[in-house]
Amino acid sequence: MSAHLSRRSLLGLVGAGAGAYLLSGCSGDDDSGDPNAPQTIDWWHIQNTEPMLPVWAAAAEEYKTAHPNVKIEIQPLENEAFKAKLTTATQAGSPPDLFQSWGGGVLRQQAEAGLVKDITDDVQPWIGSLLPLSLEPYTIDGKIYGVPFDIGMVGFWYNKDLFAKAQITEPPTTWAGLLDTVRKLKAAGIVPIALAGKEKWPAHFYWAYLSMRIGGLGALQQAAKDKNFDTPDFVAAGDRLKELIDLQPFQKGFLGAEYGSPDGQAATMGNGGAALELMGQWAPSVQASSSTSKKGIGDKLGFFPFPAVDGGKGSATEVFGGGNGFAVGKDAPAATLDFLKALLSVDSQRKSAKTGAVLPTVKEATDAIADPNNKTVAQALASATGFQLYLDQAYPPAVGQQVNDSVAELIAGNKTSAEILKDITAVAKSQ
């Protein structure tokens, strides 16, 4: 996400209709459109830790100071708690005014259900300041239903010191090389990989990337179209993942580990307790905020793209990930869109970028990317030849959830690769 992203192609968005997601919220006190009338914005976001939590709080305070008639009620929520609460509220038909969105199939279903506003006309005066391709996950049938403030990719974050201790001189570039890296780390008495097994979504990154590397982006798109995942390429992806699982690479207790808790995946990395994690562009900041020192491992941290799979149809320059954005609920007061504009101003985006937790979508703010790791991510995105949105957002929600659940069963050793594909296909066909 930086100017580099203008060269990136979001080829892999599989925007099939998707599922419910939203929360109850108090919509504005006045829906007359009068900008000076008392209004309350109910804002839900998932930046519930340092460094972005105080940045968003300050943005709300600054806006309220400039607009005394506007109240902003903020509810920061942990990722999974947010999704659960949003689902409940969506089913009740009562979305919040401004809320976290990853776009894709989930946003499509919200739009089709009339739960979010078509904001195409409202954002026209300023939407041109954003990287055009960053808008694709938020554009449904030519209309804009959300605005991204961040975009990036998933890759491997690694501890350079632990690699050196295991006499690993370079990051692996192939899947076989990654398995060898894991073996060397274990032989050196180092935990190879941190994983939040309890939350499921981090594990789906492995299966999704392997599916991309083996079958190519076309396989993921075709599976969504045919509603069939029971194909040789997907079986092979699960089999390759089983090779990693069989090496027992994860930290002790990983099946019960959360992502951002003091003893979770990010903290394990941030405290130097594991050599690797597969995570998005936000990883360094969450590692730091979750670590005992609140600083993480600093310049010991490095990044490399998910490796190629020998014989696979996909390229190592095809990336998997997405960004963060906001959608506007159907009953949001007029001030909501003005506040959204303020959040996407150059000044606001630069403040976000300086935290290291956000890769900005506003073109003029990309000069604020200071973190070396974020620059590395931006460079990887610059040379990307294809892009796939997170599967639990790209696919209909029931399918995305089944992918997460099924990969978790594979990781836990409860089901085989062939078995989980039958489960995912059954859910896909029921949609």
Side-chain angles (χ1 to χ4, degrees), residues 197-198 200 238 241-242 245-246 250 254-256 402 404-421 423:
K198 182 178 180 180
K200 299 181 182 179
L241 179 52
K242 185 66 163 54
I245 297 165
D246 286 346
F250 309 119
F254 76 93
L255 287 174
Q402 188 60 51
N404 285 351
D405 290 346
S406 288
V407 174
E409 289 183 301
L410 181 65
I411 294 273
N414 296 331
K415 288 196 174 181
T416 66
S417 178
E419 287 172 337
I420 69 166
L421 294 176
D423 293 342

Side-chain angles (χ1 to χ4, degrees), residues 41-342:
I41 300 171
D42 191 25
W43 181 24
W44 299 66
H45 67 72
I46 63 165
Q47 283 69 42
N48 65 320
T49 62
E50 297 274 356
M52 281 303 295
L53 180 63
V55 173
W56 283 149
E61 286 301 319
E62 183 177 340
Y63 189 86
K64 288 190 292 183
T65 299
H67 304 82
N69 62 310
V70 178
K71 295 180 180 178
I72 301 176
E73 297 184 352
I74 310 175
Q75 292 210 42
L77 291 161
E78 183 275 328
N79 189 316
E80 293 304 299
F82 165 77
K83 290 178 184 175
K85 193 164 188 177
L86 194 55
T87 297
T88 300
T90 301
Q91 292 170 345
S94 183
D97 301 319
L98 188 66
F99 63 94
Q100 165 78 27
S101 175
W102 294 274
V106 176
L107 183 60
R108 172 178 285 272
Q109 181 162 324
Q110 292 167 353
E112 291 174 348
L115 292 165
V116 292
K117 286 188 176 184
D118 170 359
I119 59 175
T120 310
D121 293 338
D122 301 279
V123 301
Q124 282 311 307
W126 55 271
I127 202 67
S129 67
L130 273 65
L131 298 165
L133 291 176
S134 70
L135 278 168
E136 289 200 18
Y138 302 87
T139 304
I140 312 295
D141 299 332
K143 296 180 179 180
I144 299 171
Y145 288 92
V147 178
F149 64 84
D150 162 66
I151 192 157
M153 63 178 280
V154 172
F156 275 108
W157 299 91
Y158 73 104
N159 186 315
K160 297 175 184 177
D161 281 5
L162 295 182
F163 266 45
K165 182 180 177 182
Q167 299 183 334
I168 301 166
T169 57
E170 293 182 339
T173 57
T174 67
W175 182 250
L178 179 70
L179 297 179
D180 283 341
T181 295
V182 167
R183 293 184 186 100
K184 290 176 182 177
L185 289 164
K186 290 199 73 169
I190 297 165
V191 174
I193 300 174
L195 181 66
K198 182 178 180 180
E199 294 190 17
K200 299 181 182 179
W201 59 267
H204 114 272
F205 292 169
Y206 288 87
W207 184 79
Y209 250 131
L210 284 165
S211 297
M212 285 173 58
R213 294 291 186 260
I214 293 169
L217 290 176
L220 292 163
Q221 296 166 341
Q222 195 64 39
K225 183 178 178 181
D226 297 343
K227 298 186 176 184
N228 179 32
F229 292 80
D230 195 3
T231 64
D233 285 341
F234 287 116
V235 172
D239 289 344
R240 296 290 78 74
L241 179 52
K242 185 66 163 54
E243 293 173 349
L244 176 65
I245 297 165
D246 286 346
L247 295 178
Q248 298 182 337
F250 309 119
Q251 82 276 21
K252 183 178 179 180
F254 76 93
L255 287 174
E258 298 175 341
Y259 172 58
S261 60
D263 59 351
Q265 175 175 331
T268 300
M269 280 296 296
N271 291 327
L276 290 158
E277 74 164 335
L278 183 62
M279 192 48 61
Q281 67 275 10
W282 57 86
S285 65
V286 184
Q287 287 176 18
S289 64
S290 303
S291 68
T292 304
S293 68
K294 301 301 178 186
K295 296 180 180 178
I297 60 173
D299 59 8
K300 297 176 185 176
L301 189 67
F303 177 86
F304 63 92
F306 195 93
V309 175
D310 290 338
K313 304 181 188 75
S315 166
T317 56
E318 292 172 343
V319 301
F320 173 81
N324 293 285
F326 293 117
V328 178
K330 62 184 180 68
D331 296 322
T336 307
L337 281 157
D338 189 56
F339 178 54
L340 180 60
K341 177 183 176 181

